Amino acid sequence: MSDRLTDLAIPVIAIDGPSASGKGTVAALVARELGFHYLDSGAIYRVTAHAAQRAGIALDDEDALARLARGLDLRFDGTEVWLAGEPAGDAIRTEQAGRAASRIAALPAVRAALLQLQRDFRRPPGLVTDGRDMGSVVFPDARLKVFLTASAEERANRRYKQLIEKGFDANLAALLQDLRERDARDAARALAPLRQAADAMLLDTTDLAIDEAVQRVVAAYRKAA
Ligand code: CDP
């Protein structure tokens, strides 16, 4: 664990938003452009749910899940996540894994257990991170907060293309319904619900190419820095 005061001088760009809004892609590219580290916080929830399923822990057993989360042996290598010395691979990228992540993410003890683990990714020269509560809970002092969204139809299209590219089966109508359910669950939960923070810049990418979204975030950061 690092020193809090030193940490506060390290800039963070927090990009939050709903499922399949493109925030992960945008965040990773912004990090690359600025030479910052990148944290995909959703992957932490995904890998926790995956580890729980492998260990036979029920997805509503809050105490056991929190214990598991506290002891997770996680490492990131680019976009690959390593769990206990093994790459988690595409197993955590399926829709089923996303649903499982969303279920355990609604449990307060699990979120609390994963808080410090996420904060430990704040290292010089800076961090770009994406999720649901990066700006509101994990890094409330982020230099720039962005709420990145797109229409549900556009997000379903993007997720569809992403899954097909990875060689998974996908059904557009089912994806749209699943996204809506996930949005509703993420927005309705008592702790760290999905919503635009008062101090976050809204970026609607429905009609925006990835590069344009990246440039808008970088420009806003340079203005704020
Ligand atoms: O790609 P997608 O947005 O669907 O998923 P993700 O960002 O990988 O996150 C998977 C699930 O983890 C989400 O549905 C959220 O419920 C949860 N999550 C969260 O609660 N808080 C975060 N900071 C990141 C993800």
Side-chain angles (χ1 to χ4, degrees), residues 43-221:
I44 293 183
Y45 286 93
R46 285 170 182 266
V47 88
T48 303
H50 177 67
Q53 286 172 319
R54 279 214 319 209
I57 298 172
L59 295 182
D60 57 359
D61 186 344
E62 189 165 358
D63 289 346
L65 288 166
R67 228 174 298 123
L68 173 87
R70 270 191 296 273
L72 273 187
D73 170 15
L74 267 192
R75 193 164 60 75
F76 278 82
D77 179 10
T79 53
E80 182 59 84
V81 193
W82 292 66
L83 176 64
E86 278 176 42
D90 282 345
I92 63 162
R93 299 293 167 194
T94 63
E95 285 306 285
Q96 192 273 339
R99 265 196 305 275
S102 165
R103 282 184 60 191
I104 66 151
L107 304 172
V110 172
R111 301 197 76 85
L114 293 174
L115 194 57
Q116 191 58 47
L117 193 147
Q118 295 174 84
R119 288 186 175 149
D120 287 343
F121 282 87
R122 186 175 199 164
R123 289 182 214 128
L127 176 72
V128 185
T129 180
D130 80 280
R132 302 294 189 286
D133 61 343
M134 296 299 99
S136 54
V137 177
V138 183
F139 302 107
D141 66 325
R143 194 75 56 87
L144 176 68
K145 300 180 188 180
V146 179
F147 190 77
L148 199 138
T149 189
S151 70
E153 289 76 12
E154 176 59 22
R155 289 188 283 124
N157 271 325
R158 290 178 188 170
R159 179 51 50 90
Y160 179 80
K161 282 192 203 139
Q162 208 178 43
L163 289 170
I164 296 292
E165 270 165 26
K166 282 189 189 289
F168 291 123
D169 275 344
N171 173 299
L172 194 56
L175 279 174
L176 182 58
Q177 162 144 12
D178 191 56
L179 273 183
R180 290 199 161 120
E181 279 168 16
R182 199 116 67 89
D183 283 357
R185 184 165 47 224
D186 287 352
R189 70 180 176 218
L191 199 68
L194 170 71
R195 75 163 80 97
Q196 184 187 350
D199 53 353
M201 162 182 132
L202 177 66
L203 189 56
D204 185 329
T205 68
T206 306
D207 300 311
L208 219 55
I210 295 281
D211 276 359
E212 286 173 288
V214 171
Q215 289 322 315
R216 290 212 195 169
V217 175
V218 169
Y221 172 71

Side-chain angles (χ1 to χ4, degrees), residues 16-38:
D16 289 304
S19 201
S21 55
K23 58 192 187 314
T25 310
V26 170
L29 289 170
V30 169
R32 193 158 80 185
E33 178 141 346
L34 296 172
F36 283 8
H37 299 281
Y38 166 55

